[in-house]
Amino acid sequence: MSDPHLPPEVCDYIVDLLRDKPDTLGRCCLASRSWVPRTRKHLFADIKFPYSDDLERWKRAFPNPSRSLAHYTHTLTIGCPEVVTAADAQEGGWIRAFSNVTRLEVLSGLRDLDDSHISLVPFHNLSPALKSLHVASTIFPCTRILNLVCSFRFPEDLDLAQRRVGVGTIDWDEATFQPSTSPVLTGTLRVYLPGRMGCVTRRLLDLPGGLHFRKFELSCYLGDNLRWIVTLVAGCSDTLECVDIECWVSLPFEQVDLRTASIDLSKATKLKEAVFRSKTLHVVWLVLALQNITSKHTYLHQISIYVPEIPDLAIYREVVNEVIHRQWMDLDRVLVQLWESCGIRPKVMYSVAEEKKETQRERIEGLLPKIMERGIIELENFVEFCWYRQIY
């Protein structure tokens, strides 16, 4: 491995192939001193401090922050921000050693329900190279999070999530938000904030430079939250290339009327991909969104629809059964129209246990007969996964 006749670029290439094998990289460091810089690039690329013990081990290994290997880190995950910020205050800017971070994850609320006292200021403008910011917490004040966002000049991806749905009734602070800069947000916006999307949306849209996201991954629980998704889509219609929207509707079937909050995609003509995840049998919001897609959407060729497990509809009361069939018949009609007028092929995905797959297919065929008859639909089973569950 330390053969002097082996060109350095070949050695680097070999080490790069081992990037996902930390034990092997550790042995490379012992095999040859010349391999050490390249192995450190991978060994310290992804650093996590989920608990205070992890931070203590790092501090024992690198007592002098200026001589640590933090400059190799590209992804930094902080699971105990209250401990990290305290250490940073004691040691005069300890966190600043991570100056080349491209993705910062600040996760809190694993032990305390009260994050409101935790300062995020030490993380402000941590790295000029930062492109992705992920904040998941219980009740970080809204302005505190957005001030963190605005401290970075060139972040692209923004990922905001609330850990516990149980605290969703707590209002975020309504303090005046006056950002000193307007970050260049051009990548992906992921938001999972049950009951709080309005606060974030309103303040993001107030940024002086506006929003220019290319992709949305949004999850909402209530009809009111859907209204804020409508606002976000409208604000990024000129740049939006992909929407991935998950919607839960908790109201009784006969009380649902989301027509005032339909997602208008008519101006988002640059769309290349549209994904809709209906977490209940309510699909009126989905029908209304699809009605806004026309032949002007020249880049959009497929729509993916994720549906929940469909039970035997005979278990519902007659009025509920009628509402379900009416909504799904409307969806069936709209999907046929999209195929005939725009050539857009629909894909319906469902998640059920292996032994229920055939029964589930039959029930979907009963609700979507027209597109099934025409053979213009792809019907696939999938393993259920939600992007926001990664924060746990």
Side-chain angles (χ1 to χ4, degrees), residues 93-293:
W94 169 84
I95 196 68
R96 292 290 159 186
F98 293 90
S99 57
N100 294 315
V101 168
T102 58
R103 176 173 173 82
L104 173 63
E105 300 180 353
V106 181
L107 317 178
S108 185
L110 288 175
R111 295 158 300 280
D112 286 325
L113 282 179
D114 184 10
D115 298 334
S116 58
H117 67 286
I118 300 174
S119 172
L120 297 178
V121 173
F123 301 105
H124 283 204
N125 198 26
L126 175 63
S127 165
L130 187 129
K131 297 294 183 183
S132 179
L133 177 62
H134 176 184
V135 181
S137 114
T138 52
I139 52 173
F140 272 145
C142 179
T143 53
R144 199 168 298 178
I145 293 176
L146 291 176
N147 282 329
L148 174 64
V149 172
C150 291
S151 72
F152 298 99
R153 185 68 185 92
F154 298 107
E156 294 180 358
D157 300 330
L158 184 57
D159 192 340
L160 305 176
Q162 174 186 304
R163 284 184 175 276
R164 292 187 176 93
V165 178
V167 298
T169 57
I170 300 176
D171 292 331
W172 279 11
D173 63 311
E174 293 296 331
T176 303
F177 175 58
Q178 295 179 332
S180 57
T181 61
S182 183
V184 182
L185 299 165
T186 59
T188 299
L189 173 65
R190 298 182 182 90
V191 178
Y192 173 62
L193 299 169
R196 301 179 182 178
M197 189 175 292
C199 175
V200 172
T201 301
R202 188 164 59 249
R203 287 169 178 167
L204 284 176
L205 291 170
D206 285 341
L207 291 175
L211 299 182
H212 309 281
F213 287 109
R214 293 189 299 272
K215 182 177 182 179
F216 281 153
E217 294 183 14
L218 308 174
S219 179
C220 66
Y221 271 66
L222 303 173
D224 184 59
N225 273 350
L226 189 59
R227 178 168 60 91
W228 292 111
I229 290 182
V230 174
T231 307
L232 280 173
V233 171
C236 293
S237 288
D238 292 338
T239 57
L240 203 56
E241 296 179 359
C242 176
V243 293
D244 188 330
I245 299 174
E246 178 181 74
C247 186
W248 302 70
V249 182
S250 58
L251 297 173
F253 274 93
E254 54 269 37
Q255 295 181 20
V256 172
D257 183 8
L258 300 179
R259 295 182 181 277
T260 57
S262 68
I263 303 171
D264 187 358
L265 298 174
S266 60
K267 296 181 180 179
T269 56
K270 295 182 180 179
L271 273 181
K272 297 179 181 179
E273 182 181 6
V275 180
F276 301 97
R277 305 175 191 270
S278 185
K279 305 303 290 186
T280 68
L281 294 179
H282 287 291
V283 292
V284 61
W285 66 275
L286 174 54
V287 172
L288 295 169
L290 293 175
Q291 286 178 344
N292 292 306
I293 296 175

Side-chain angles (χ1 to χ4, degrees), residues 14-73:
I14 294 173
V15 173
D16 290 345
L17 292 176
L18 301 172
R19 63 170 60 90
D20 297 323
K21 301 180 183 298
D23 292 341
T24 305
L25 287 173
R27 289 193 287 271
C28 289
C29 289
L30 300 174
S32 173
R33 181 177 297 178
S34 64
W35 285 53
V36 171
R38 197 71 175 189
T39 55
R40 284 176 172 175
K41 173 185 176 182
H42 300 298
L43 281 172
F44 295 91
D46 187 354
I47 297 297
K48 294 181 173 65
F49 297 121
Y51 304 105
S52 58
D53 292 346
D54 303 289
L55 175 59
E56 290 303 318
R57 283 194 291 269
W58 177 274
K59 291 169 64 178
R60 286 196 298 269
F62 306 107
N64 187 341
S66 64
R67 295 183 180 180
S68 75
L69 301 179
H71 61 280
Y72 285 106
T73 303

Side-chain angles (χ1 to χ4, degrees), residues 286-311:
L286 174 54
V287 172
L288 295 169
L290 293 175
Q291 286 178 344
N292 292 306
I293 296 175
T294 67
S295 57
K296 294 181 180 179
H297 293 77
T298 55
Y299 303 104
L300 183 60
H301 299 292
Q302 181 172 282
I303 295 171
S304 299
I305 301 172
Y306 289 74
V307 298
E309 180 177 353
I310 299 174

